[in-house]
mmCIF file of all heavy atoms in Angstrom:
data_model
loop_
_atom_site.group_PDB
_atom_site.id
_atom_site.type_symbol
_atom_site.label_atom_id
_atom_site.label_comp_id
_atom_site.label_asym_id
_atom_site.label_seq_id
_atom_site.Cartn_x
_atom_site.Cartn_y
_atom_site.Cartn_z
ATOM 1 N N VAL A 268 125.210 49.703 28.899
ATOM 2 C CA VAL A 268 125.454 49.664 30.345
ATOM 3 C C VAL A 268 126.737 50.366 30.748
ATOM 4 O O VAL A 268 126.736 51.186 31.686
ATOM 5 C CB VAL A 268 125.339 48.264 30.844
ATOM 6 C CG1 VAL A 268 125.745 48.165 32.316
ATOM 7 C CG2 VAL A 268 123.993 47.698 30.686
ATOM 8 N N PRO A 269 127.877 50.119 30.101
ATOM 9 C CA PRO A 269 129.118 50.750 30.552
ATOM 10 C C PRO A 269 129.017 52.297 30.564
ATOM 11 O O PRO A 269 129.452 52.954 31.486
ATOM 12 C CB PRO A 269 130.157 50.321 29.549
ATOM 13 C CG PRO A 269 129.657 49.068 29.039
ATOM 14 C CD PRO A 269 128.166 49.141 29.038
ATOM 15 N N ASN A 270 128.324 52.827 29.573
ATOM 16 C CA ASN A 270 128.180 54.310 29.480
ATOM 17 C C ASN A 270 127.172 54.778 30.585
ATOM 18 O O ASN A 270 127.395 55.827 31.157
ATOM 19 C CB ASN A 270 127.696 54.720 28.135
ATOM 20 C CG ASN A 270 128.825 54.727 27.181
ATOM 21 O OD1 ASN A 270 129.838 55.353 27.421
ATOM 22 N ND2 ASN A 270 128.652 54.096 26.060
ATOM 23 N N ALA A 271 126.119 54.037 30.804
ATOM 24 C CA ALA A 271 125.078 54.472 31.729
ATOM 25 C C ALA A 271 125.610 54.363 33.164
ATOM 26 O O ALA A 271 125.107 55.039 34.022
ATOM 27 C CB ALA A 271 123.797 53.603 31.569
ATOM 28 N N LEU A 272 126.608 53.530 33.380
ATOM 29 C CA LEU A 272 127.101 53.287 34.760
ATOM 30 C C LEU A 272 127.876 54.452 35.289
ATOM 31 O O LEU A 272 128.066 54.617 36.478
ATOM 32 C CB LEU A 272 127.908 52.038 34.800
ATOM 33 C CG LEU A 272 127.087 50.735 34.961
ATOM 34 C CD1 LEU A 272 127.978 49.603 35.194
ATOM 35 C CD2 LEU A 272 126.099 50.931 36.055
ATOM 36 N N LEU A 273 128.325 55.374 34.373
ATOM 37 C CA LEU A 273 129.171 56.505 34.809
ATOM 38 C C LEU A 273 128.477 57.289 35.921
ATOM 39 O O LEU A 273 129.057 57.481 37.001
ATOM 40 C CB LEU A 273 129.504 57.417 33.665
ATOM 41 C CG LEU A 273 130.593 56.763 32.709
ATOM 42 C CD1 LEU A 273 130.823 57.660 31.558
ATOM 43 C CD2 LEU A 273 131.882 56.544 33.496
ATOM 44 N N PRO A 274 127.235 57.790 35.696
ATOM 45 C CA PRO A 274 126.631 58.532 36.828
ATOM 46 C C PRO A 274 126.437 57.707 38.064
ATOM 47 O O PRO A 274 126.410 58.194 39.177
ATOM 48 C CB PRO A 274 125.302 58.986 36.326
ATOM 49 C CG PRO A 274 125.141 58.506 34.878
ATOM 50 C CD PRO A 274 126.383 57.700 34.563
ATOM 51 N N THR A 275 126.261 56.363 37.887
ATOM 52 C CA THR A 275 126.022 55.512 39.037
ATOM 53 C C THR A 275 127.221 55.442 39.923
ATOM 54 O O THR A 275 127.123 55.274 41.137
ATOM 55 C CB THR A 275 125.634 54.102 38.577
ATOM 56 O OG1 THR A 275 124.747 54.225 37.445
ATOM 57 C CG2 THR A 275 125.031 53.318 39.634
ATOM 58 N N VAL A 276 128.437 55.609 39.329
ATOM 59 C CA VAL A 276 129.668 55.538 40.134
ATOM 60 C C VAL A 276 129.653 56.550 41.266
ATOM 61 O O VAL A 276 129.906 56.225 42.380
ATOM 62 C CB VAL A 276 130.870 55.771 39.241
ATOM 63 C CG1 VAL A 276 132.109 56.021 40.065
ATOM 64 C CG2 VAL A 276 131.091 54.621 38.303
ATOM 65 N N THR A 277 129.254 57.801 40.925
ATOM 66 C CA THR A 277 129.181 58.855 41.926
ATOM 67 C C THR A 277 128.253 58.389 43.021
ATOM 68 O O THR A 277 128.534 58.493 44.190
ATOM 69 C CB THR A 277 128.614 60.181 41.340
ATOM 70 O OG1 THR A 277 129.218 60.339 40.084
ATOM 71 C CG2 THR A 277 128.895 61.326 42.223
ATOM 72 N N LEU A 278 127.086 57.887 42.599
ATOM 73 C CA LEU A 278 126.080 57.535 43.557
ATOM 74 C C LEU A 278 126.568 56.367 44.464
ATOM 75 O O LEU A 278 126.334 56.430 45.651
ATOM 76 C CB LEU A 278 124.831 57.032 42.865
ATOM 77 C CG LEU A 278 123.762 56.646 43.869
ATOM 78 C CD1 LEU A 278 122.964 57.841 44.236
ATOM 79 C CD2 LEU A 278 122.874 55.573 43.261
ATOM 80 N N ILE A 279 127.391 55.487 43.877
ATOM 81 C CA ILE A 279 127.868 54.343 44.695
ATOM 82 C C ILE A 279 128.629 54.841 45.883
ATOM 83 O O ILE A 279 128.487 54.407 47.014
ATOM 84 C CB ILE A 279 128.641 53.391 43.818
ATOM 85 C CG1 ILE A 279 127.683 52.564 42.905
ATOM 86 C CG2 ILE A 279 129.504 52.423 44.646
ATOM 87 C CD1 ILE A 279 128.385 51.788 41.847
ATOM 88 N N PHE A 280 129.505 55.797 45.575
ATOM 89 C CA PHE A 280 130.429 56.347 46.675
ATOM 90 C C PHE A 280 129.520 57.048 47.690
ATOM 91 O O PHE A 280 129.740 56.997 48.867
ATOM 92 C CB PHE A 280 131.443 57.250 46.095
ATOM 93 C CG PHE A 280 132.640 56.485 45.557
ATOM 94 C CD1 PHE A 280 132.738 56.239 44.203
ATOM 95 C CD2 PHE A 280 133.563 55.938 46.335
ATOM 96 C CE1 PHE A 280 133.811 55.539 43.640
ATOM 97 C CE2 PHE A 280 134.663 55.228 45.908
ATOM 98 C CZ PHE A 280 134.754 55.067 44.485
#
Side-chain angles (χ1 to χ4, degrees):
Chain A
V268 173
N270 282 309
L272 279 187
L273 286 176
T275 317
V276 168
T277 319
L278 180 86
I279 286 172
F280 280 100

